[in-house]
Amino acid sequence: MVKLSNRLQAIAHQVPKGSRLADIGSDHALLPVYLVQQGIVPYAIAGEVNPGPYEAAGRQVKEADLARQVHVRLGNGLEVIEAGEVEAITIAGMGGALIVQILEQGKQKLAQAHTLILQPNVGEDQVRRWLAVNGWLLTREQILEEDGKYYEILTAVHGAEGWSSESAEALYEARNLDCGLHVEADMFYRMGPYLLQQPNQAFYDKWQSELAKSNVVSREMARSDSDSARQRREALLEEISKTEEVLACLRTGKQ
């Protein structure tokens, strides 16, 4: 039986039982093989754009004796599936910009899909914006730390009960947090509407790490006398200040 990392296990928990799955950027096909072995999905596609991982995925499926239930396909993004072929799609372990590109280029393949489980390594805000603009309702966010890295897992639905294109965008509307601080939409896209409601230790650790990186960048910018560097630094300092304010509010429960 395939054993998954904590990150892939968290993604697996979000896949609806009984759905047909496409795992894009499947690497060694660990996730689809596991889901079929566990009886969570009856059928899965493991998509890979690079020959090396494609061949590795094929070996994994062959060793698991699941060639009839897990199809390994070579291709770019969602071109490995036909419209209506799957109900759930997972895309994990790549940048948010690339995930958005894959979704945008494969829009016509999403017509019959009802669940997206996305795990961007960076650029989570870009993924959230694409989901909202395209009417995918974010229903759950998770953040975890594994081997010194932080991972956010975003689950979104389309056409399910309680879904509407209006509610997809309304999730990010400016409002007060439970701790009393008023937060603009940009911060909800950046830090996550659900994660801001129920932050865990990984959330705090991630954003402390991000603040440390931003402060290093700010100090580097301060060495330049150009107007553009000064303007970029001012914008970065404002972002740092807002992030610190949010974290302080969440920690104390009051503004």
Side-chain angles (χ1 to χ4, degrees):
M1 296 290 283
V2 164
K3 181 174 176 59
L4 300 182
S5 64
N6 292 337
R7 175 181 67 93
L8 287 179
Q9 189 71 64
I11 294 170
H13 283 321
Q14 295 306 301
V15 177
K17 186 175 177 58
S19 60
R20 294 172 298 172
L21 172 77
D23 183 38
I24 306 302
S26 194
D27 197 9
H28 286 64
L30 293 175
L31 182 63
V33 166
Y34 172 85
L35 289 167
V36 170
Q37 286 180 334
Q38 296 295 319
I40 297 170
V41 305
Y43 169 81
I45 296 166
E48 252 304 332
V49 69
N50 296 311
Y54 165 76
E55 292 168 2
R59 290 193 296 271
Q60 181 74 252
V61 171
K62 184 178 180 179
E63 289 173 7
D65 194 24
L66 290 176
R68 291 185 178 182
Q69 293 165 279
V70 181
H71 292 188
V72 181
R73 298 177 185 175
L74 183 66
N76 187 24
L78 296 177
E79 71 178 25
V80 300
I81 63 173
E82 300 296 329
E85 191 174 11
V86 299
E87 294 87 30
I89 297 171
T90 53
I91 310 177
M94 59 189 78
L98 181 54
I99 290 177
V100 165
Q101 180 182 326
I102 289 171
L103 294 172
E104 186 65 26
Q105 291 179 346
K107 266 186 183 180
Q108 72 279 8
K109 303 292 183 71
L110 299 176
Q112 303 302 317
H114 57 59
T115 305
L116 296 176
I117 303 111
L118 311 171
Q119 183 268 296
N121 289 341
V122 295
E124 296 88 352
D125 60 320
Q126 297 178 57
V127 177
R128 291 186 181 100
R129 288 183 187 278
W130 188 93
L131 292 172
V133 168
N134 289 277
W136 284 85
L137 177 62
L138 187 69
T139 56
R140 187 174 183 187
E141 297 175 306
Q142 299 166 266
I143 183 170
L144 59 91
E145 181 274 332
E146 187 170 35
D147 297 329
K149 296 181 180 179
Y150 300 98
Y151 300 103
E152 293 186 21
I153 299 164
L154 314 180
T155 303
V157 301
H158 191 278
E161 183 178 351
W163 165 89
S164 74
S165 57
E166 292 79 13
S167 59
E169 290 194 85
L171 188 62
Y172 305 95
E173 288 179 352
R175 59 187 182 274
N176 288 350
L177 298 177
D178 291 342
C179 60
L181 180 69
H182 186 77
V183 173
E184 297 297 329
D186 281 352
M187 194 62 76
F188 285 107
Y189 282 112
R190 184 166 174 253
M191 302 181 80
Y194 296 108
L195 295 176
L196 282 169
Q197 288 178 2
Q198 293 184 315
N200 61 9
Q201 190 58 49
F203 174 88
Y204 288 117
D205 291 344
K206 172 190 172 170
W207 286 106
Q208 283 302 141
S209 175
E210 292 298 316
L211 284 173
K213 294 175 187 176
S214 295
N215 279 310
V216 170
V217 173
S218 173
R219 288 193 292 272
E220 290 293 326
M221 287 179 174
R223 297 179 181 179
S224 173
D225 295 328
S226 70
D227 288 341
S228 61
R230 178 180 54 79
Q231 291 171 2
R232 292 197 306 273
R233 184 168 186 265
E234 287 176 355
L236 180 59
L237 288 173
E238 182 178 3
E239 184 179 274
I240 290 171
S241 176
K242 288 180 178 179
T243 303
E244 289 176 337
E245 191 176 23
V246 167
L247 294 177
C249 180
L250 293 174
R251 285 192 173 109
T252 61
K254 60 183 179 182
Q255 192 170 345

